[in-house]
Amino acid sequence: MPHSHHSHSGQFCRHAKDNLEDVIVEAIRQGFEVFGLSEHAPRYRLEDLFPEEADLTPTDLLEAYHSFLAIASSLREKYSSRIHLLISLETDYITPLDSLNLASLLASTRGDAIDYIVGSVHHVRGISIDFDRNTWLRAVHLCSRRPPSQEEEEEEDGRTMDPGPPPKLELGDQSITCLREGYVPTEEELIPFLEKYFDSQFDLIKKHQPEVLGHIDLCLLWVPEISKKLQAMPSVWARVERNVRAVIEYGGLFEANAAAFRKGWETSYPSKDILQLILSLKGRICLSDDSHGVSYVGLNYLKLRDYLAGADVATIWYLVPTDQRVNGDEDVGNRRRVVARRMEAWNDHPFWKKLEIAQEAKT
């Protein structure tokens, strides 16, 4: 019955495809029995929208998420005899404003419909790190600039979009060598960026205790080879270990996210060294396809299985509503909406054979 704790649909996410119900039906067809619906949290500033959202406002995003909660709740009831659907929210942790509004949403009556949080960081110093490589370079460059002296004011954060009008993607100064297409940052330039990423992630972890920590090393999206060098960067590796220990302390799960394979990685998120760190500290691994439409449901899950089995992951975990708790389930976080349930011999489950057949039929 392997599971996915992270998914999107084109109905509520402009960079995804297909209606939410079609995604659910495909998950059922492939044999998923637990499937998390985790549309993005609203963003609250025009400069945090993306080019495909240029006709929208932050209010539109908030209303879309409210609509998602209502429709997802209805679909959960409709398909309850065929699949266990969990309703979630993936964080977009950009500025303190996002944290404040996330806390308000979770504390509201609408927050009662949210079973768990996928805690993700997609921005560093206000700039998206996974929209495209050039935008990521701007974040790296901003972090690598000389820190201000005590007499100087703190440099302002950047932004993903120029709000206009009309809104358009911020391009940065192309006369700067390290912002040009194809530039490869040095390790020295990357270290401040990585430090800032993991510090932002730690802030998210401490303030909100996400039940699932999303793609822990998304910061390496464009430089996956650096994953093999993190332990040689003491200031970065110390932050990674700090964050892992913090999640373990409250019982959170670390998603093994199959989307990294379609981004060209040889591994999922987390990469090998971080995965081994999590396992050595007795962290709990869960599965996610991070699907963005029907064609992405279960995509590269067989590669994910092989990667985790090759890393000797003996147990995976999945989330279950608290009112379905049984002996052996473990607490997760401080919201107490879900508990974690273990699954042994997970890679021998009949699901995998059914998935192979379903994916062959799809092609």
Side-chain angles (χ1 to χ4, degrees):
M1 61 178 293
H3 342 93
S4 177
H5 293 80
H6 186 164
S7 68
H8 303 277
S9 71
Q11 189 171 353
F12 300 105
C13 173
R14 285 282 180 94
H15 62 267
K17 300 177 181 179
D18 307 313
N19 287 330
L20 180 60
E21 184 166 10
D22 293 334
V23 171
I24 293 168
V25 169
E26 178 63 14
I28 294 170
R29 189 188 74 83
Q30 292 193 28
F32 285 91
E33 295 182 20
V34 176
F35 200 78
L37 311 175
S38 58
E39 298 293 0
H40 285 284
R43 281 158 280 131
Y44 298 93
R45 306 184 307 167
L46 282 172
E47 53 263 51
D48 298 327
L49 274 60
F50 292 103
E52 66 269 18
E53 299 168 330
D55 60 322
L56 302 178
T57 67
T59 299
D60 294 327
L61 297 186
L62 181 61
E63 291 175 352
Y65 188 76
H66 291 166
S67 177
F68 158 71
L69 290 178
I71 291 173
S73 296
S74 175
L75 292 171
R76 173 160 61 184
E77 179 67 22
K78 178 177 179 179
Y79 290 101
S80 60
S81 65
R82 302 175 66 188
I83 193 169
H84 298 288
L85 296 174
L86 296 171
I87 299 174
S88 180
L89 170 151
E90 184 183 13
T91 63
D92 275 304
Y93 205 70
I94 309 169
T95 73
L97 180 63
D98 298 281
S99 182
L100 288 171
N101 284 319
L102 173 60
S104 296
L105 175 59
L106 294 174
S108 71
T109 54
R110 284 193 171 94
D112 292 340
I114 300 172
D115 296 315
Y116 68 99
I117 304 168
V118 177
S120 299
V121 175
H122 300 94
H123 297 71
V124 171
R125 295 287 304 271
I127 301 173
S128 171
I129 63 172
D130 63 340
F131 176 73
D132 64 21
R133 195 176 186 282
N134 286 354
T135 305
W136 167 78
L137 281 174
R138 290 200 294 112
V140 173
H141 174 64
L142 185 58
C143 291
S144 67
R145 295 178 65 172
R146 178 179 60 85
S149 67
Q150 290 184 344
E151 292 76 26
E152 295 175 319
E153 293 185 5
E154 185 71 36
E155 185 177 30
E156 290 186 3
D157 282 345
R159 60 189 184 183
T160 299
M161 289 281 283
D162 176 350
K168 58 182 180 296
L169 186 67
E170 185 82 46
L171 297 177
D173 185 351
Q174 295 300 296
S175 69
I176 300 174
T177 300
C178 59
L179 295 182
R180 292 176 184 166
E181 183 84 30
Y183 180 78
V184 179
T186 65
E187 291 178 28
E188 183 179 6
E189 290 171 323
L190 284 171
I191 286 173
F193 164 77
L194 297 174
E195 291 173 343
K196 183 62 177 176
Y197 172 86
F198 287 113
D199 284 346
S200 296
Q201 188 179 74
F202 184 65
D203 192 48
L204 169 65
I205 290 166
K206 296 302 287 185
K207 287 181 178 176
H208 299 290
Q209 294 192 2
E211 290 84 354
V212 174
L213 188 66
H215 36 56
I216 185 173
D217 46 2
L218 181 69
C219 54
L220 303 176
L221 170 61
W222 307 103
V223 283
E225 67 279 3
I226 296 297
S227 68
K228 301 173 183 178
K229 302 179 180 181
L230 290 182
Q231 293 189 64
M233 302 175 180
S235 63
V236 176
W237 189 250
R239 286 167 165 82
V240 174
E241 183 170 345
R242 173 199 62 191
N243 293 8
V244 169
R245 289 184 182 277
V247 174
I248 291 172
E249 184 178 0
Y250 67 78
L253 308 185
F254 300 87
E255 70 167 7
N257 184 316
F261 291 109
R262 62 180 167 85
K263 302 291 186 177
W265 282 34
E266 296 178 354
T267 73
S268 75
Y269 311 110
S271 48
K272 289 181 180 179
D273 286 355
I274 297 180
L275 176 60
Q276 288 304 317
L277 173 67
I278 293 168
L279 296 175
S280 72
L281 296 174
K282 311 301 182 187
R284 302 168 179 170
I285 302 295
C286 68
L287 304 181
S288 293
D289 65 5
D290 198 353
S291 52
H292 280 64
V294 169
S295 64
Y296 297 99
V297 173
L299 183 63
N300 291 314
Y301 245 42
L302 298 174
K303 288 184 178 180
L304 178 63
R305 175 200 61 187
D306 294 345
Y307 170 57
L308 296 179
D312 296 324
V313 176
T315 305
I316 61 169
W317 297 75
Y318 60 101
L319 296 177
V320 179
T322 301
D323 61 8
Q324 297 176 23
R325 184 173 195 146
V326 298
N327 187 42
D329 290 347
E330 300 282 351
D331 290 332
V332 184
N334 56 18
R335 294 185 69 231
R336 296 293 193 265
R337 301 297 305 272
V338 290
V339 293
R341 184 170 296 171
R342 74 180 68 229
M343 184 177 187
E344 311 287 355
W346 61 274
N347 55 325
D348 294 326
H349 194 279
F351 165 84
W352 299 106
K353 184 60 179 178
K354 183 174 182 178
L355 181 66
E356 288 180 17
I357 294 171
Q359 293 192 349
E360 287 174 2
K362 186 166 62 173
T363 58

